[in-house]
Amino acid sequence: MTIDWYKEFVNLNYQPAADDLICLFYFEPAAGISGKEAAGRIASESSTGTWTTLFTMPPRMKALQATAFDIEGNVVKIAYPLALWEEGNVVQLMSGIAGNIFGMKAVKNLRLIDVALPSAYIRHFKGPHFGNNGIRKMMKVAKRPLTGAVPKPKIGFTAKEHADVGYETWMGGFDFVKDDENLTSTSFNRFDDRVKYMTRLREKAEKETGEKKSAFLNITADVTTMKKRADLLAENGWNYAMIDVVVAGTASVMTMRDYCSDLGLAIHAHRAMHATFTRNRKHGITMQFLAKIMRLIGVSQIHTGTSVGKLTGSRRESVALANLLREKKTEAVEGMLLRQDWGKIKSAFPVSSGGLHPGLVPDVLDIYGTEMILLVSGGIHGHPKGTRAGAMATMQAIEAWQEGVTLEEKAKKAPELKEALAKWGHYKPK
Ligand code: CAP
Ligand code: MG
């Protein structure tokens, strides 16, 4: 008995409608399953179908069926009628195109690479509250990359010790002090205490430097608690909140985007846990997809890798991620990105972090240019002369890159950079 129902979901002559939503998948059919059948099953299971033909299938339902319309080897493009998707509810979209299909026996591997969202879909989303120009205006930083650091060791400081390290970071010239992804409100470092001490020292640093200083204070928790923490940040003059968006969940990020926006808070999106599904090149969901969804919802910035630091992620991937976050129109990149017109959705910043130090700043800026947020944490707190000198060395490395001189050249007149190079050189952490 052959159940050849999948054929209804494959049409290689289909021309997608202007308001179709299109997904790009990498797939490997299971043994005994043809490429076409696997593609049909992905389209079926992620739209109207199930494993068998059905007794009732009213003709109007055919209009809701997805269509696999372009199969090239292990890559398939699937078009979805707009009517399948609830307006403004990207969580439901993910249940469809990133749900059951990953568990189908018909595929050995499956990876959701990207989604092209029609303007009729994105118009229901607000996107980032400020946009990159708005962030630069708010932070009074015109041209250079914005800079920040996480106090290290990543967890263990008391709130006061944490703020003291933050003060040294600001006084070394950095714009931001970032909580680490696993620091929220622990017995030794309660969120409210951290806000109190950080506020006091931010005001001190701003007075002494004449510069705008800020922090990504981590509010990650249940939504009720996140709202309370966001309120506390706004009451204390902060302009950012940090959320670990993967562990918090897309629905909570949607709620917090509007809540934070009403409070004038930008959202720094940490992506801890992403590597559970982005790292495997054959199965899971790409960072491109996660970054796209987060820009759509409206975080102001999200981590996008370094390619030279301690965590996985290629140069090609970082460039693609930077483009899809910053540009009004993202061009297609073979096997990596679909073309995307962002309409009125504002830009977001890529954040490069993880195993960086002054010696690697040119490598990172060669990838990202200046329209990015550079986080150097261990790479300043490990400086032979301490945090403030480490931040100064990083700022000197940025200046060198913008002046078009080598770090070694710059170091002749920049003692902090010289000391950083003496310790780390251009070392790339494993
Ligand atoms: C970096 C970091 C960040 C990683 C996250 C850490 O610290 O604070 O969480 O960058 O990875 O905890 O490792 P260092 P990604 O600068 O001391 O390495 O940016 O890839 O999401
Ligand atoms: Mg961290």
Side-chain angles (χ1 to χ4, degrees), residues 150 152 154 178 180-181 270-272 274 303-305 310-312 351-356 375-379:
V150 178
K152 299 282 179 175
K154 60 171 48 181
K178 173 184 166 293
D180 232 325
E181 66 283 353
H270 196 290
R271 60 176 181 169
H274 76 92
H303 289 235
T304 54
K310 70 184 182 187
L311 300 160
T312 56
V351 178
S352 188
S353 167
L356 298 179
L375 298 184
V376 180
S377 305

Side-chain angles (χ1 to χ4, degrees), residues 369-399:
T370 57
E371 283 310 287
M372 55 90 72
I373 311 256
L374 180 69
L375 298 184
V376 180
S377 305
I380 67 166
H381 307 305
H383 188 281
K385 292 276 176 51
T387 298
R388 188 180 304 207
M392 290 169 71
T394 305
M395 299 308 284
Q396 291 157 0
I398 293 171
E399 282 163 17

